[in-house]
Amino acid sequence: MSETTTTLPALSPALQRVFSGDYDREDLAELLADDDADRNQALFAAADRVRAEHVGDAVHLRGLVEFSNYCGRTCHYCGLRAADTSLQRYRMAPDEIVAAGLKAAELGYGTVVLQSGEDAWYSAEIVADIVRRLKAQADMAVTLCLGERPREDYALWREAGADRYLVRIETSNRDLYAALHPGMSFDHRAACLHTLRELGYQVGSGVLVGLPGQTEGLLADDLRFLRDLPADMVGIGPFIPHPGTPLADVEGGEVATVLRMVALTRLLLPDSHVVATTALGTADPQGREKALQAGANVLMPNVTPREFRALYEIYPDKICTDEEPEYCRGCLAARVGSLGRTVAIGRGDSPRWLRSAR
Ligand code: SAM
Ligand code: SF4
Ligand code: FES
């Protein structure tokens, strides 16, 4: 990232190379493996300054509606996987989804994110209708996160008014991807992201940190994948083991590694949005604040009706499952304020996307 004008204190040679734009995979891997407290602080401070310079101090809040926990996939890490027959499943009706989206608008959120397992019950037309109704009734951006669908579905939803789409790549390593996602492939997932870009969506992606077999070198590859996409929004979370899955006994992702990934994402994609993820807030009560001070600028408060919230159990002990949306709104405003930052007003489109769309 050669464009920044930030003045820097003494930085490690690898970090200096990242700043000069003349870095390689080994530099990123070295920074990701480095757990020296002072050097980490320098990395986070540098990412924080780049964040302030490129996307400002305001933190964007996106209201998240988790509308169905049915899923046809069997991702090895996820509590919603089809193979788990003990989970009580739910599907919100289209009217309930629209009402939850309008609730997000009422709370002042400029974006609603509609997320679910890969649930074929929601036909392309049903989703398009939900998007149209939300766009007609509220001045807000609509983000979809429904997994992999055919190009025609993505195109129909874009025509209906959907602004953004999230598909995490999870890992950009083909073999690791294949080992964790039966019947799925990295290449198809990446193709979905490229299709979404072509259709004019702001594209979000991200990575799970702490997957078995993942190395700093592979995480460095993930960062380069996100940079080259390029992603308009990036969410990086720790993998949190779920007892009902094949990865129940794996240790899970380290908060410190996630924070280093967040900081490096900011340096590689200075004017994209970077999320302080709920998974990070679950792994560490101060995790979201730490991410906001290491380059992140987005939070995703839950606005799913309370009766369903605990059932969207992708990992155990998820935060905010008992609180009402109003409570989380106040809680997050206080957390953001405690960092001397403000809550953003409006849709919060990706500055990177706005720049490239000009
Ligand atoms: N089904 C869609 C998909 O997979 O893209 C969207 C919903 S899925 C639950 C959203 C994200 O949850 C995934 O991209 C994955 O990164 C994350 N996730 C799933 N299981 C997790 C776990 N055990 N720990 C942390 N994050 C997890
Ligand atoms: Fe389904 Fe998404 Fe969970 Fe995979 S990560 S099992 S696609 S909900
Ligand atoms: Fe939900 Fe703090 S954000 S309780």
Side-chain angles (χ1 to χ4, degrees), residues 12-236:
S12 70
L15 191 48
Q16 284 179 30
R17 284 193 290 277
V18 170
F19 265 95
S20 72
D22 186 20
Y23 61 92
D24 59 17
R25 178 186 200 258
E26 304 320 316
D27 290 322
L28 296 174
E30 179 187 316
L31 290 163
L32 287 167
D34 187 355
D35 59 5
D36 176 83
D38 290 342
R39 283 195 297 272
N40 275 204
Q41 215 31 61
L43 169 64
F44 300 155
D48 197 45
R49 276 196 301 278
V50 171
R51 184 271 307 151
E53 190 175 317
H54 287 265
V55 296
D57 281 339
V59 175
H60 300 276
L61 305 186
R62 322 296 205 192
L64 176 66
V65 183
E66 298 161 332
F67 65 86
S68 163
N69 70 353
Y70 280 87
C71 189
R73 303 287 193 184
T74 50
C75 308
H76 279 349
Y77 44 79
C78 179
L80 306 191
R81 61 202 306 273
D84 187 334
T85 50
S86 63
L87 180 67
Q88 186 190 330
R89 304 280 172 170
Y90 71 91
R91 244 178 217 130
M92 285 169 60
D95 285 353
E96 290 177 305
I97 299 170
V98 172
L102 296 178
K103 173 87 189 170
E106 217 177 89
L107 288 168
Y109 300 149
T111 298
V112 62
V113 182
L114 306 182
Q115 188 184 94
S116 68
E118 289 206 7
D119 185 355
W121 186 88
Y122 298 90
S123 66
E125 193 42 59
I126 289 176
V127 174
D129 193 52
I130 293 167
V131 173
R132 278 187 215 107
R133 288 170 63 190
L134 282 169
K135 296 296 288 189
Q137 291 179 65
D139 179 19
M140 71 194 315
V142 174
T143 301
L144 299 175
C145 179
L146 284 58
E148 298 180 17
R149 292 278 196 139
R151 184 188 180 98
E152 308 82 79
D153 293 14
Y154 290 153
L156 180 69
W157 301 338
R158 181 84 183 114
E159 279 162 31
D163 302 275
R164 310 180 191 138
Y165 203 99
L166 308 181
V167 190
R168 279 191 182 176
I169 202 72
E170 322 293 1
T171 173
S172 61
N173 181 269
R174 285 189 175 78
D175 293 339
L176 183 56
Y177 192 95
L180 296 173
H181 303 91
M184 301 173 82
S185 75
F186 164 78
D187 288 324
H188 190 259
R189 196 119 176 124
C192 286
L193 283 162
H194 289 294
T195 299
L196 290 159
R197 280 219 74 83
E198 278 166 27
L199 292 169
Y201 283 93
Q202 294 172 53
V203 172
S205 192
V207 173
L208 269 180
V209 172
L211 294 170
Q214 200 175 41
T215 60
E216 281 85 11
L218 296 191
L219 288 171
D221 292 339
D222 297 344
L223 287 172
R224 296 191 306 168
F225 174 86
L226 296 168
R227 176 200 63 191
D228 295 342
L229 187 57
D232 297 303
M233 194 185 91
V234 175
I236 298 184

Side-chain angles (χ1 to χ4, degrees), residues 275-311:
V275 188
T277 57
T278 303
L280 198 52
T282 300
D284 175 344
Q286 290 295 307
R288 289 173 295 180
E289 284 86 340
K290 289 176 186 172
L292 289 174
Q293 292 175 295
N297 69 325
V298 172
L299 290 163
M300 294 177 65
N302 205 320
V303 293
T304 310
R306 226 173 95 180
E307 57 191 301
F308 304 121
R309 205 122 25 104
L311 298 174

